[in-house]
Amino acid sequence: MKFSHSLAIIALLGSQTHGFQLSPSMATMQSRSVSSLSASVAEGSSMDTSLMKQQSPPSPPDMQAYSNGFKTVFNEVSCSLSTPTEGTLPTDLIGTYYKSGPAMFSAGSLPPPKNSLVKPKQPPVPDGEDMSRMVLHPFEGDGAVLAMTFHGHDNIETGEVNTDEAADTVDTKGKVTTRFRYVRTNAFNNERKKGKKLYTGMESTRSNDSGGTVGNDLSLPFYRHHLLNGLNKLRKNTSNTRAVYFGKRLLTMWAGGLPYKVDALALSTDGRSQLGGIIKREENAMSSSAVIDSKRNRILFYGIDEQASGSTLNIYEFNSKFQPIKENDGAVQLELPGLALVYDFGVTENYCVFVQPQLKVNGMQYMLNKEPGKSAALESESALLHIVARPGNKDAGGMKTIEIPFDGMAEANLQIINSYESEDGTIIFDALRSADSGGGSKSSTQWPWASTLGDFQNMSSKKSLWRYEVNPKKGLVSKDCISQDQLYFGVVNSNTSAQKHRYIYAAAGAMGEGVAPPQGITKFDLDTGARESWFPESYEFCGEPMYAERRGDDSEDGGYILSTLFNGKDECSELVVLKANDVAAGPIARVPIGIAVPHGFHGCFASTDDANWTYEQIERRAKLADKMETRGSMWNEVKSDFSGLGLRFDDMEEYFGDLM
């Protein structure tokens, strides 16, 4: 394996073992020799030149166009059939693409149903017209979900459409069925009915530059939520960070609160979910991360109840039917040291992997207000790597903690792309790291945020792609820099999730190692060190690339890459489709979405047969959802738990919020 810009640090450190037994070892930090490092860097530099494949260097990003991607969506898409404006959709691309992200930046901008018990005092207004309704950071925007179903060559494949009725079916060959809806969270409905901003718990933190460009990172901040635990109006669950489909169920997620269950066809909101009751209390916090074990066809979640004196980690594991696995009832609980602000994790065959950055907690501020910007600051110290045996492991819940050697950059806000175990037991994971770029200007914390490159750099951290290798028995950790380019939203082929992978796909900035917004698509070959990139026009910006399986092809890069693309000049969005084995060639098809979808976060592609609905099935469900919406909003403010509908006690605040 050859990496560009290789910088390796290997450490043999003291480790703590709890539960399953691994031999700890103690030693001082050791590094590769300077000559070895120099040779590695030289090799990587020449390799980059010879194995890089992309079109001519892109133009600098049009930042005014980029900032147009932070505008409220005032009109949802119930159900629409979209035809490519360029190229042709492959007939072997079948399934549904989902993506989650914030889409409402002026609070209460979607009027409630006409028969709502509470009428807003103010109608929706354009962004920027009433600054008291604007959020101070894009991450505070209410979440919405985009869904696009690819029908392939035959929309009667599922067998649910009678051939006698085939003449009445819509021809979907080469087309996509599109939907876009807001997640009707409790907070969304509260502000929707009042027509104003009600949740201001994070505004002090968003106006504070104490966390540098990592703390309030424009792409995805380290400070995700208020530190007051439980259900309260300081912690607004926007459900805007990730959409995940598994076991015929669609969830939207946000770090710090319960996930929301969303109808996979119509995108109507069923309500907050305790995952079938495995999460015992509604006050329990969940992360915005979920990992699928592709080999066992299982999905894992985690949540952390954070306290300054110590945090409680809960890990949950479900089988293919979205039922808790039998071993240990699918859950383990253990304690982490101090305030654990951990937003992602890796999964291997036997373990879950967490990286906990070291924080300095201001005890007085934590006791008085629990505002993250005032209460917690990143320390320039070694982060803690926690290796936890999965709920299905015979040593379930056993944990080994190893210090990761500090190299001048905190392991905070880490995005773990994929992780796996090698044959000798080494745990390997690739991750995007975030470093303070030296910005943090308070002047850029108000909408439209990043209309200049300087504003963007003042609010954005420096990204880089790294590989970590861990020997749990010896307490040995090494890390190598794969690329110093500005990268975002790294993904792998989902069929390699929790297994060894060869390729990584990521959104890339157009200025190489310079801090710039996500714009193009880059692919890394970790076996050869080769990479290839495609960049659109300077006013176009891609989001997270998502691997979509090609029917009948089991190779790791034989499928397609899907990404939303925002055109900031015309203020419209489309979905681009690229061949995963020829990213540099650019899109083979571009499909208009019909609205301008704001820059979002994470999604998924569901290629299973149960996500291959016909246009008629989706349309019927969408019409039902629209009808239920007009009949009143109480129907979707419920506790879901994948069962029937029922009102929740805490939904009383919908009607008595000002008194509670």
Side-chain angles (χ1 to χ4, degrees), residues 96-126:
T96 300
Y97 166 79
Y98 295 101
K99 182 180 180 180
S100 181
M104 184 174 292
F105 309 105
S106 178
S109 290
L110 193 70
K114 293 180 180 180
N115 61 344
S116 175
L117 297 180
V118 179
K119 300 294 183 181
K121 297 179 180 180
Q122 303 178 58
V125 297

Side-chain angles (χ1 to χ4, degrees), residues 104-249:
M104 184 174 292
F105 309 105
S106 178
S109 290
L110 193 70
K114 293 180 180 180
N115 61 344
S116 175
L117 297 180
V118 179
K119 300 294 183 181
K121 297 179 180 180
Q122 303 178 58
V125 297
D127 290 333
E129 184 171 306
D130 182 354
M131 295 307 293
S132 69
R133 294 174 66 164
M134 300 299 298
V135 298
L136 296 190
H137 191 286
F139 186 69
E140 305 304 323
D142 291 290
V145 180
L146 170 69
M148 302 184 76
T149 298
F150 296 82
H151 302 286
H153 56 81
D154 190 349
N155 64 335
I156 313 178
E157 278 192 348
T158 59
E160 297 188 29
V161 178
N162 192 302
T163 54
D164 294 334
E165 301 173 353
D168 298 326
T169 62
V170 175
D171 180 14
T172 58
K173 183 177 180 180
K175 300 177 183 179
V176 180
T177 301
T178 301
R179 296 87 78 200
F180 183 88
R181 286 186 192 265
Y182 283 103
V183 183
R184 267 60 168 176
T185 66
N186 284 5
F188 174 90
N189 284 327
N190 286 344
E191 293 184 327
R192 185 184 188 189
K193 292 175 180 179
K194 297 299 177 66
K196 62 180 181 180
K197 183 166 60 178
L198 301 176
Y199 299 86
T200 59
M202 288 295 290
E203 294 202 345
S204 174
T205 292
R206 298 302 178 215
S207 302
N208 189 326
D209 63 352
S210 61
T213 56
V214 176
N216 286 319
D217 199 338
L218 189 65
S219 62
L220 204 55
F222 174 66
Y223 295 136
R224 303 275 178 99
H225 56 254
H226 199 276
L227 298 180
L228 179 63
N229 288 314
L231 301 171
N232 59 78
K233 288 193 173 181
L234 293 176
R235 183 177 283 203
K236 179 186 179 182
N237 184 346
T238 56
S239 205
N240 68 3
T241 311
R242 186 180 301 274
V244 57
Y245 181 89
F246 185 83
K248 300 182 180 181
R249 296 172 176 87

Side-chain angles (χ1 to χ4, degrees), residues 29-346:
M29 185 169 67
Q30 300 175 343
S31 301
R32 288 184 181 174
S33 68
V34 174
S35 59
S36 174
L37 275 175
S38 301
S40 180
V41 171
E43 180 185 9
S45 299
S46 60
M47 175 193 63
D48 261 359
T49 302
S50 60
L51 298 181
M52 184 176 293
K53 180 182 176 183
Q54 67 178 53
Q55 81 272 36
S56 301
S59 303
D62 180 339
M63 294 307 298
Q64 183 59 56
Y66 176 77
S67 68
N68 287 337
F70 296 115
K71 290 187 177 180
T72 294
V73 177
F74 291 95
N75 297 296
E76 298 174 302
V77 178
S78 177
C79 180
S80 175
L81 202 58
S82 304
T83 303
T85 54
E86 293 183 22
T88 304
L89 288 173
T91 58
D92 50 12
L93 174 57
I94 303 172
T96 300
Y97 166 79
Y98 295 101
K99 182 180 180 180
S100 181
M104 184 174 292
F105 309 105
S106 178
S109 290
L110 193 70
K114 293 180 180 180
N115 61 344
S116 175
L117 297 180
V118 179
K119 300 294 183 181
K121 297 179 180 180
Q122 303 178 58
V125 297
D127 290 333
E129 184 171 306
D130 182 354
M131 295 307 293
S132 69
R133 294 174 66 164
M134 300 299 298
V135 298
L136 296 190
H137 191 286
F139 186 69
E140 305 304 323
D142 291 290
V145 180
L146 170 69
M148 302 184 76
T149 298
F150 296 82
H151 302 286
H153 56 81
D154 190 349
N155 64 335
I156 313 178
E157 278 192 348
T158 59
E160 297 188 29
V161 178
N162 192 302
T163 54
D164 294 334
E165 301 173 353
D168 298 326
T169 62
V170 175
D171 180 14
T172 58
K173 183 177 180 180
K175 300 177 183 179
V176 180
T177 301
T178 301
R179 296 87 78 200
F180 183 88
R181 286 186 192 265
Y182 283 103
V183 183
R184 267 60 168 176
T185 66
N186 284 5
F188 174 90
N189 284 327
N190 286 344
E191 293 184 327
R192 185 184 188 189
K193 292 175 180 179
K194 297 299 177 66
K196 62 180 181 180
K197 183 166 60 178
L198 301 176
Y199 299 86
T200 59
M202 288 295 290
E203 294 202 345
S204 174
T205 292
R206 298 302 178 215
S207 302
N208 189 326
D209 63 352
S210 61
T213 56
V214 176
N216 286 319
D217 199 338
L218 189 65
S219 62
L220 204 55
F222 174 66
Y223 295 136
R224 303 275 178 99
H225 56 254
H226 199 276
L227 298 180
L228 179 63
N229 288 314
L231 301 171
N232 59 78
K233 288 193 173 181
L234 293 176
R235 183 177 283 203
K236 179 186 179 182
N237 184 346
T238 56
S239 205
N240 68 3
T241 311
R242 186 180 301 274
V244 57
Y245 181 89
F246 185 83
K248 300 182 180 181
R249 296 172 176 87
L250 177 64
L251 297 175
T252 58
M253 307 179 71
W254 175 84
L258 292 180
Y260 273 77
K261 186 193 174 192
V262 175
D263 182 81
L265 282 80
L267 303 185
S268 53
T269 306
D270 289 345
R272 252 184 348 227
S273 174
Q274 290 175 243
L275 300 185
I278 195 171
I279 304 174
K280 301 306 180 185
R281 299 181 300 119
E282 286 190 290
E283 297 80 19
N284 287 133
M286 287 288 290
S287 77
S288 58
S289 184
V291 177
I292 294 174
D293 179 340
S294 59
K295 184 177 182 179
R296 299 182 187 177
N297 197 18
R298 294 179 176 181
I299 190 169
L300 291 91
F301 303 86
Y302 78 94
I304 299 179
D305 295 316
E306 305 143 346
Q307 298 288 343
S309 57
S311 302
T312 302
L313 170 66
N314 296 282
I315 302 174
Y316 310 101
E317 185 166 346
F318 297 84
N319 63 22
S320 60
K321 297 181 179 180
F322 221 125
Q323 300 169 337
I325 62 172
K326 294 181 179 179
E327 298 89 343
N328 300 293
D329 295 323
V332 294
Q333 183 179 91
L334 55 153
E335 300 301 315
L336 299 180
L339 184 64
L341 300 184
V342 180
Y343 302 119
D344 206 355
F345 75 131

Side-chain angles (χ1 to χ4, degrees), residues 97 148 150 562-565 573-577 589-591 593:
Y97 166 79
M148 302 184 76
F150 296 82
L562 311 180
S563 177
T564 56
L565 182 145
S573 294
E574 55 190 350
L575 189 79
V576 292
V577 181
R590 300 171 77 123
V591 183
I593 295 174

